[in-house]
Amino acid sequence: MSPCPPGCCCLHPGLLVLCESLGLRSLPRSVPLSTSALSVARNQLCNVDHLLRPFSSLQELSLSHNLLARFPRGLPPSLESLLLQENRITYITAGALRQLGNLTRLDLEDNRIRSIQPGALRGLSKLRVLTLKGNELTSLPLNLPPSLTHLDLSANCISTLDLPSLSVLVNLQVLRINSNCLRSVPESAFDGLPRLRSVDLANNLWVCECDILYLYRWLLSDRLKMATDLVCTEPVHLAHRLLLNLSVVAICPRVLTPNEKPRKRDLNSALERKLETLTVKATAQSSFENKGNLGDLPERISTETTAALFSKDVPKTRVLIEHYTLETLTYQECLSLNETQSVSPVHLKTTTPLPSEEQKCRDNVTSRYPQGNATSAEGTWSLLPTNRDAPWPTPNPRPFAQQDSAMVVPLLAVLCVLVVLLTLAVLLVLKQVLLRRQRVAPLGAGSGG
């Protein structure tokens, strides 16, 4: 059996090797070629081109929190999960991922990516999870693979949604494009995404005018898990107001043409009634989600690597069955297991993720809410993607008004009872005074005679 590299932690050497936070400037030389999961995160690696090609069994690789200035070349085709968050990558060329057709997860969060060449991701026919959060993209990448189910483009500089790029994502379930520069959404942008069940659009530069009516109506059409807290930035008289609290006429006054006034008014009132119903449903759903912890996700991704995506939405217990992976085992846990006992891979092990510290929010001209850009910084838990922009439903003032009116009646009743008692008390006092005067009067008359 191949030895474990010095300073590294190995569970079942030859399968999982963790060489994290060791100040490495190059890959350890004694890593077994049969390794299936390798993490060299939190080191000082600048270039690993072609160094990992001999690892023909490697399925999971973490190079996160290093100093890589470009996408690594010569990676083994066997890779299924590649984590490259928090490096210095600025662009991705068309041939960088040509040999990585088995990838199911690619995490490029918090790099400096400004450009992805057209077709660079086209060959990734098995890719299901793509994270590009916290980069410098100004538009959607072209030729995204139709296999994608989760796409995170939050905290970039995207100003428009490209319809051809979106229309091919027929399997997309979760889209995060919050904290960008979107001003509106083009007509029918989401109509070709039949499996879409969660969209985060918060913290953009929404212009609440006629061009946003498609998004307005789309959000009102019985959508669940959709962002309902979109705040207008323009025009001035609607700034800082929630989009879904506005009427159609307020958003687009010209919708009321002389020949169509009755029909448009009916549409407006119907949409307002729909908004009231949606608000009540969203409030009830928020309460249910707080208790259920993602109980509304019945269609989970089957593989472990993709199932861990966005796992920081709520704390949850992770179950490790049959083998350990980079996403289910930290470097500290590995050392602890090595010190205490030899763990058989067929045993069931349950661990609970530890809370990680938040990095300082990086400046992002696209976001008016910097807390949405916080990223995980400490511990190997950074291998798991982040999600801190969950939408909150708009509160409905009606229940509070009903509660107030219900309380007024008993208060008035109590007040009436108090007034009656006070009146009786006054009458009794007056009666006593009159009786005393009647007694005093005869005595005065007798003394005078």
Side-chain angles (χ1 to χ4, degrees), residues 218-240:
W218 185 80
L219 289 173
L220 291 178
S221 59
D222 284 332
R223 303 287 174 177
L224 298 178
K225 289 289 290 180
M226 301 299 175
T228 57
D229 58 347
L230 307 188
V231 179
C232 303
T233 59
E234 295 182 29
V236 176
H237 68 282
L238 296 179
H240 310 298

Side-chain angles (χ1 to χ4, degrees), residues 351-395:
T351 60
T352 303
L354 300 175
S356 59
E357 297 180 1
E358 292 187 352
Q359 291 182 336
K360 294 181 179 179
C361 300
R362 70 182 189 88
D363 294 335
N364 183 6
V365 296
T366 66
S367 174
R368 293 175 179 264
Y369 302 88
Q371 66 269 25
N373 297 337
T375 57
S376 173
E378 298 296 333
T380 309
W381 302 119
S382 61
L383 299 182
L384 298 178
T386 59
N387 174 25
R388 286 163 295 280
D389 303 313
W392 290 88
T394 306

Side-chain angles (χ1 to χ4, degrees), residues 155 191 223 311 377 384 411 420 422 432:
D191 294 349
R223 303 287 174 177
S311 59
L384 298 178
L411 288 176
V420 172
L422 183 60
Q432 295 294 331

